[in-house]
Amino acid sequence: MKTFVLILLAPIEMYACGAGRGIAAWQLLDDITAGWGPSALKDATPTPLRDPVAYRVAGRDYTGDLYWPGNGAIASLVLVPGAAEDGKDDPRLVAVAQSLARVRFLVLVPEIPNLRALKVRPEDSDAIVDALHHLAAREDAPGESFGLVAISYAAGPALLAALDPDVAPSVRFLVTVGGYYDIEALVTFFTTGHYRASPNEPWRHALPNPYGRWVFLRSNAERLDTARDRVLLTAMAQRKLDDLNAPVDDLANRLGPEGQSVYALLINGDPDRVPHLIAALPPAIRRDMRALDLNCPGLSGFRAQAILFHGRDDSIIPYTESEALAKSLNPALAELALVDSLAHVDLVDVGVADSLRLWDAAYRVLTLRDDIAAAQDTE
């Protein structure tokens, strides 16, 4: 199948601006699909150097990993992990960082403790802004413009970071994988399984992955004022994340009013009740949800190129979220790659049609990389 796709793409490459870039896009896609397995790109390039780094920006201390291309970096990007306990050390993320480094990106993967603790916070966008500042300050980082790649729930903080006036002029492109747009729609899906492309459409239903529900609880339990409810909800989330079939009635029965308001949202199955249940949440949770919501007027200020990847069968964040995000951006700047072979953030069983879509998106990423490099050469 890979040989067939490569032959199919050959005529496209001949007429594209640079056949080499077309081949590199195919190799990048093939390498990401291969993960830690063999690939043509691994055979053709040196293994990137993964270098731990510590940096300080605006009085805040950070750590992360820099991935240095063995064949020389021509552009730089920040790769933001999703909400996963392994954080920047997740083997899948490390493999993607190495793939990007193999196509000559200098890749910075920041350590974001909230995401490693399965928490998504508005302040995480500050850590992403500071990671971009760190790249800009490095004399060994090529270019004055950068890319930004965000996985899953990190898409929100990353896009908000790209809107920050201090770094927005330097963010050349944003890539999201399995991202979201509207917080209320996201909560509706992972609690009830219902989703729709617009408020005027009838509800559709799919079986959501329970992981999203309990990550939401883990992320927000500490926002409650009542200490007893904080402890009970945190224990409930951990129990479910350890074993999705574990009973939690013993904990739910001991919750006070604050905790019950959160639990009522989590066990609700009616999508039309979600707005009312969100309105009943503790104020601190509602503030965070508003701050992380991308369905807001401020999004009109986004000026970078956006490439949004999403799987049609995503059971954690429905594909309609990336559809809505693409529609909210300038159509000249946004590209949506909807595919059947993306299981939230993992590529599986990539067929010919998906290969074409993914190749086109990978080609655009490499075009933007070359634009950054060209701008540097003219300075």
Side-chain angles (χ1 to χ4, degrees):
M1 190 274 292
K2 291 181 181 179
T3 302
F4 172 74
V5 175
L6 188 57
I7 292 172
L8 184 63
L9 292 177
I12 300 173
E13 291 167 8
M14 286 192 296
Y15 295 104
C17 295
R21 188 187 301 154
I23 294 171
W26 165 250
Q27 290 179 328
L28 173 60
L29 171 59
D30 178 54
D31 193 55
I32 291 174
T33 304
W36 289 94
S39 73
L41 190 60
K42 290 185 181 70
D43 291 339
T45 58
T47 301
L49 173 65
R50 182 184 180 186
D51 188 17
V53 62
Y55 53 98
R56 185 176 179 84
V57 179
R60 296 181 288 266
D61 293 314
Y62 299 97
T63 60
D65 290 325
L66 274 171
Y67 291 79
W68 297 92
N71 50 353
I74 61 174
S76 305
L77 64 80
V78 172
L79 171 59
V80 188
E85 290 180 330
D86 288 333
K88 68 178 181 59
D89 301 313
D90 188 305
R92 297 168 301 172
L93 187 84
V94 173
V96 170
Q98 289 192 344
S99 294
L100 292 168
R102 288 182 185 278
V103 293
R104 306 188 68 184
F105 280 109
L106 172 62
V107 181
L108 172 60
V109 183
E111 177 69 273
I112 301 181
N114 280 335
L115 294 173
R116 188 184 280 268
L118 305 185
K119 302 172 184 176
V120 184
R121 292 280 187 267
E123 59 266 26
D124 294 337
S125 63
D126 295 334
I128 300 169
V129 168
D130 288 346
L132 289 164
H133 277 305
H134 174 67
L135 268 184
R138 294 188 67 98
E139 294 183 355
D140 51 5
E144 295 185 357
S145 297
F146 309 101
L148 186 55
V149 180
I151 309 298
S152 186
Y153 289 108
L159 200 152
L160 294 171
L163 288 168
D164 185 284
D166 287 341
V167 297
S170 299
V171 178
R172 184 70 178 83
F173 66 87
L174 170 69
V175 175
T176 66
V177 182
Y180 74 87
Y181 172 64
D182 184 284
I183 288 290
E184 184 179 298
L186 176 61
V187 172
T188 299
F189 179 72
F190 68 62
T191 56
T192 73
H194 287 83
Y195 66 102
R196 56 189 177 186
S198 72
N200 298 323
E201 291 190 3
W203 290 110
R204 288 177 266 177
H205 186 269
L207 185 64
N209 188 320
Y211 180 81
R213 180 182 308 176
W214 304 113
V215 165
F216 176 84
L217 181 58
R218 171 82 166 266
S219 180
N220 289 289
E222 67 185 43
R223 291 308 207 210
L224 275 63
D225 292 330
T226 309
R228 179 183 177 85
D229 283 356
R230 288 199 302 269
V231 171
L232 289 169
L233 290 179
T234 300
M236 184 184 298
Q238 192 58 55
R239 188 183 292 182
K240 282 292 192 179
L241 289 169
D242 291 340
D243 178 6
L244 291 173
N245 296 315
V248 293
D249 289 349
D250 59 316
L251 301 173
N253 292 336
R254 296 158 60 190
L255 290 170
E258 267 198 322
Q260 287 289 352
S261 71
V262 178
Y263 188 63
L265 174 64
L266 293 182
I267 63 173
N268 169 59
D270 181 356
D272 294 320
R273 291 191 63 218
V274 171
H276 170 74
L277 292 169
I278 288 176
L281 292 173
I285 295 179
R286 286 186 279 116
R287 281 196 300 271
D288 276 2
M289 291 175 67
R290 284 195 299 270
L292 288 165
D293 196 356
L294 303 180
N295 185 4
C296 61
L299 206 61
S300 61
F302 185 77
R303 293 291 181 266
Q305 295 283 331
I307 302 172
L308 316 177
F309 294 88
H310 218 117
R312 289 190 179 87
D313 294 331
D314 193 326
S315 63
I316 292 180
I317 299 175
Y319 73 89
T320 46
E321 287 299 288
S322 284
E323 276 190 333
L325 178 56
K327 290 176 182 177
S328 72
L329 300 173
N330 184 332
L333 299 176
E335 177 178 349
L336 175 64
L338 285 181
V339 295
D340 295 317
S341 52
L342 187 58
H344 189 47
V345 297
D346 298 309
L347 280 174
V348 291
D349 300 326
V350 182
V352 173
D354 279 358
S355 291
L356 287 170
R357 295 187 190 97
L358 293 168
W359 176 86
D360 180 69
Y363 185 90
R364 290 184 182 276
V365 169
L366 296 184
T367 300
L368 292 164
R369 176 205 63 180
D370 294 344
D371 289 346
I372 293 173
Q376 180 187 11
D377 292 339
T378 60
E379 291 172 0

